[in-house]
Amino acid sequence: MWLGAGRELVAIPGPTVVPDRVLSAMHRAMPDIYAGELTDVIDEVFDALPGVARTASRPFVTISNGHGAWEMALSNTLSRGDRVLVLECGRFGTVWGEMAQFNGLRVEAVTADTGRAVDPAAVEEHLRRDAQHEITAILVVHVDTASSIRNDLPAIRAAIDAAGHPALLMVDCIASLACERYEMDAWGVDVTVAASQKGLMTPPGLGFVWAGPRALAAHQSADLRTRYWDWTSRTENGPYYLRFCGTPPVTHLYGIREALRMVGEEGLEARWHRHTALAAAVHAAVDAWSTPGGLSLHATDPAERANAVTTIRAGAIDADRLRSICRDDAGVTLGIGVGDVAGPAFRIGHMGHVNVPMVLGVIGTIEAALGAMRAPTGGSGVAAASAALADVL
């Protein structure tokens, strides 16, 4: 029986739900791009973005997805033939490293055990072996969207410092910004990369890069620089279009301004607490469902489980059929398994513009679909999630 009438609930880990306020802000005629209201919008966006990353550094804004922001970070700080260390705990750190290699960098990796975050001790050991300090940058994803594992960035920073290594620390916060605690300056991060379509609640199309003082110094000698991505050319002095290397992304700027206003109204700390509570409910549900041959959380250590997305191994359960029932019969879209997650899997995105009824609706729909499939479960995920939320309501 088809029960999917009504508003579809998309619970993938990006693009996420766009608030009505953001949609309304984007629904407008094109303005003058050289003067007037749009310049005020641009100033407000550039002034608000540092606070979201907890940094004093001004942002660079790209007309791209997060992969474009990756390339901006690499091309503005590194030179062909440089050695780069990639810290891998899922698909997206690996892909960032593949981009680096494609662009002429020499890539090596520290790879976490399946279901675990990167071990800071392994990072320190690897860096100590680089006695000549040939590694110029370390790339790490804060939250890997494929594995739903969160890396311990302060511990990784401490490992770099313990090794006495000068490499730039570059962090991908595409899946975590405005969802997880992140402190660029306090944690000693040199480059932060993010994008609009996840915790920042705006359609895909904007990438963000914050460059600290050491990254800006490295920029002066980087020979991977290209005209489109170049930081020097994207000056805030002079005409506003220079910040975007051409025509500004007008509607996206109105949208991200509204989204940043919403972040400010809720408060960053409050957002972090909300995502923590909603993630705990999802994790409790999966733990309740978990049974031999059935569902289980991919991230094995509770301390390493992300607050923005949850990856669920399906075991012997047909993950494609489960997602199909949820989407085609009930109106809930789940994320597919991505990357090297062991066996069939699916993902639940709980980032950005989400609340209790949305999360409970997703969990309840999954539980009903599991029942329809006669799939094995250890208990009620809905009851477990409700109990977890009751503790914080």
Side-chain angles (χ1 to χ4, degrees):
M1 180 181 293
W2 182 66
L3 302 175
R7 176 174 290 185
E8 180 183 13
L9 184 53
V10 178
I12 63 175
T16 61
V17 174
V18 178
D20 289 342
R21 280 177 58 177
V22 174
L23 290 173
S24 296
M26 297 178 74
H27 186 72
R28 57 171 299 111
M30 292 298 97
D32 181 354
I33 67 170
Y34 303 105
E37 182 185 41
L38 181 62
T39 62
D40 295 332
V41 172
I42 293 171
D43 283 339
E44 185 175 339
V45 168
F46 274 67
D47 289 345
L49 281 169
V52 179
R54 295 292 188 113
T55 181
S57 298
R58 299 290 288 178
F60 298 96
V61 179
T62 74
I63 305 174
S64 74
N65 55 21
H67 290 64
W70 280 350
E71 185 152 299
M72 174 182 269
L74 297 174
S75 65
N76 276 284
T77 55
L78 303 175
S79 296
R80 191 170 301 277
D82 281 351
R83 287 173 62 190
V84 172
L85 178 62
V86 179
L87 310 184
E88 301 176 336
C89 69
R91 179 61 182 153
F92 288 93
T94 303
V95 177
W96 197 5
E98 290 172 355
M99 175 182 284
Q101 187 169 29
F102 187 93
N103 288 351
L105 300 166
R106 294 181 292 155
V107 174
E108 50 205 75
V110 170
T111 302
D113 294 335
T114 300
R116 293 300 309 273
V118 172
D119 181 1
V123 177
E124 181 180 345
E125 180 183 356
H126 192 102
L127 293 175
R128 286 187 182 278
R129 292 199 298 269
D130 180 30
Q132 301 304 312
H133 294 168
E134 294 180 357
I135 294 172
T136 52
I138 300 164
L139 314 183
V140 60
V141 174
H142 187 202
V143 167
D144 192 284
T145 321
S147 66
S148 76
I149 291 170
R150 178 180 57 244
N151 283 306
D152 188 340
L153 297 179
I156 290 171
R157 177 74 261 176
I160 297 168
D161 293 343
H165 205 287
L168 297 173
L169 177 58
M170 301 189 186
V171 177
D172 169 338
C173 286
I174 293 168
S176 62
L177 196 70
C179 303
E180 307 261 359
R181 177 174 291 278
Y182 181 70
E183 306 274 358
M184 178 176 172
D185 290 354
W187 293 353
V189 176
D190 296 299
V191 178
T192 297
V193 172
S196 58
Q197 72 270 19
K198 296 184 185 288
L200 292 179
M201 309 178 293
T202 305
L206 296 178
F208 308 106
V209 180
W210 295 261
R214 295 203 316 135
L216 292 174
H219 171 68
Q220 302 307 313
S221 59
D223 76 4
L224 286 177
R225 289 165 61 175
T226 62
R227 181 65 177 82
Y228 182 73
W229 299 120
D230 186 56
W231 286 344
T232 297
S233 301
R234 287 172 174 264
T235 176
E236 291 187 44
N237 299 318
Y240 280 77
Y241 68 83
L242 292 176
R243 304 187 195 190
F244 309 100
C245 195
T247 305
V250 174
T251 54
H252 276 73
L253 288 167
Y254 279 93
I256 194 67
R257 179 180 69 165
E258 196 64 29
L260 290 169
R261 286 177 172 179
M262 292 178 68
V263 171
E265 290 165 10
E266 183 178 5
L268 202 52
E269 295 273 355
R271 284 181 67 87
W272 294 339
H273 290 314
R274 171 166 60 84
H275 282 85
T276 298
L278 296 177
V282 174
H283 300 159
V286 180
D287 280 337
W289 290 327
S290 186
T291 190
L295 304 182
S296 62
L297 288 161
H298 175 66
T300 56
D301 185 340
E304 297 171 353
R305 292 170 184 164
N307 291 336
V309 53
T310 298
T311 301
I312 302 163
R313 294 195 300 265
I317 296 172
D318 186 338
D320 290 338
R321 185 179 173 214
L322 175 64
R323 290 190 307 104
S324 178
I325 292 172
C326 289
R327 181 190 64 236
D328 298 337
D329 299 332
V332 171
T333 301
L334 303 173
I336 63 172
V338 174
D340 299 326
V341 176
F346 64 95
R347 294 175 298 158
I348 301 173
H350 36 87
M351 58 176 73
H353 194 56
V354 289
N355 59 20
V356 169
M358 293 165 74
V359 167
L360 287 178
V362 170
I363 292 169
T365 301
I366 294 171
E367 188 160 306
L370 290 168
M373 295 171 63
R374 303 295 188 265
T377 56
S380 171
V382 174
S386 298
L389 289 167
D391 290 337
V392 295
L393 286 175

